[in-house]
Amino acid sequence: SASGSAFAGGACPIIQRGALSTSYDLARAAVLGAQAVVLAADRAGDGAEALDDLVGLCGVLGLGCIVEASDAVSLAAALAAKAQVVSIRGVLGLEEALALRALIPPQIIAMVGVPSMMDQCAEIDQIRQLERAGYNSVVLINAARSEGEEQYVRWALERLQDKKSASISFPQDIKKESEGPYNPAERWAKKQAKRDPIEYDKWLKYKKTRDYQIKCQVWGQVGGC
């Protein structure tokens, strides 16, 4: 089906997510080059068209269609609209995500959103539990919001794809080219210090915690923590 073709392997598809609630929105996404879109099952607002109509239109336009749900009610709406790919996002925790997976038929592709850069790198263990529960795919939420965080994404992918769980190492020439610490959080902190000294003081206290020490290892910070 068109909904599944965009996720059948090969190059990473371009997926548009946002305020998509009308036929015009979907047509515009297709014209701009999107290969798939994310529709919210519980969307609301003036002019919002029926979810099943939008799912059907995606097939006509050749767009892959992911319907996003956050609870049992919106999940039921997604399934009623004949969505072939469902994404669970915005749930309260791991237990709720596991419970919702049991409501998704096995023939439906089930995705789930997991927050990135969690305390104690807990996202890795959560993803493995979700995989065992039957989820087909995972979205690392806010994993690459700025330049430099690609290193975290590489680490997460290697950790999930390699059973050895080896930490990623960075070529020295890449480190030398970077300005200051390669840790993206440190870059943020420098900018924040200029804008908000109070928040920067909180950052300095956070640097002393165990959670920060673990993130230093993940990001491969240059110059120590």
Side-chain angles (χ1 to χ4, degrees), residues 33 38 77 79 96 98 136 148 150 157 177 180 223:
V38 178
L79 297 176
E96 186 175 357
L98 294 173
N136 306 103
E150 65 184 80
L157 289 175
E177 291 175 1

Side-chain angles (χ1 to χ4, degrees), residues 21 53 87 124 139 154 177 202:
S21 59
D53 289 340
S87 178
I124 302 300
V139 178
R154 291 181 183 178
E177 291 175 1
K202 293 180 181 178

Side-chain angles (χ1 to χ4, degrees), residues 23-179:
S23 301
Y24 173 79
D25 295 332
L26 299 186
R28 186 172 185 274
V31 169
L32 292 177
Q35 295 167 280
V37 294
V38 178
L39 303 177
D42 55 357
R43 74 204 188 294
D46 295 337
E49 298 178 22
L51 182 60
D52 56 347
D53 289 340
L54 295 177
V55 171
L57 180 59
C58 284
V60 174
L61 296 173
L63 288 170
C65 179
I66 304 170
V67 180
E68 198 170 79
S70 57
D71 53 28
V73 174
S74 56
L75 175 57
L79 297 176
K82 295 181 171 54
Q84 296 301 304
V85 183
V86 174
S87 178
I88 302 301
R89 182 177 175 129
V91 297
L92 297 178
L94 177 63
E95 295 302 322
E96 186 175 357
L98 294 173
L100 290 175
R101 180 61 186 91
L103 302 178
I104 303 174
Q107 70 271 20
I108 303 298
I109 298 175
M111 304 172 64
V112 61
V114 176
S116 61
M117 302 184 187
M118 297 174 66
D119 292 350
Q120 307 296 317
C121 303
E123 65 268 36
I124 302 300
D125 290 334
Q126 284 199 16
I127 289 171
R128 287 172 177 159
Q129 291 184 58
L130 292 164
E131 180 184 14
R132 288 193 294 269
Y135 277 101
N136 306 103
S137 183
V138 169
V139 178
L140 269 175
I141 301 173
N142 295 330
R145 293 171 297 176
S146 61
E147 182 181 358
E149 291 184 359
E150 65 184 80
Q151 306 303 325
Y152 166 79
V153 175
R154 291 181 183 178
W155 172 85
L157 289 175
E158 288 196 359
R159 191 72 178 268
L160 293 169
Q161 295 171 356
D162 187 352
K163 295 180 180 179
K164 295 180 180 179
S165 299
S167 59
I168 190 171
S169 59
F170 304 104
Q172 290 299 318
D173 57 338
I174 293 180
K175 292 181 179 180
K176 291 178 181 178
E177 291 175 1
S178 65
E179 297 180 2

Side-chain angles (χ1 to χ4, degrees), residues 183 186 207 209 212-217 221-225:
N183 185 333
E186 286 283 5
K207 284 186 66 176
T209 65
Y212 178 77
Q213 298 298 323
I214 292 175
K215 284 183 170 60
C216 284
Q217 296 175 15
Q221 179 178 345
V222 178
C225 296

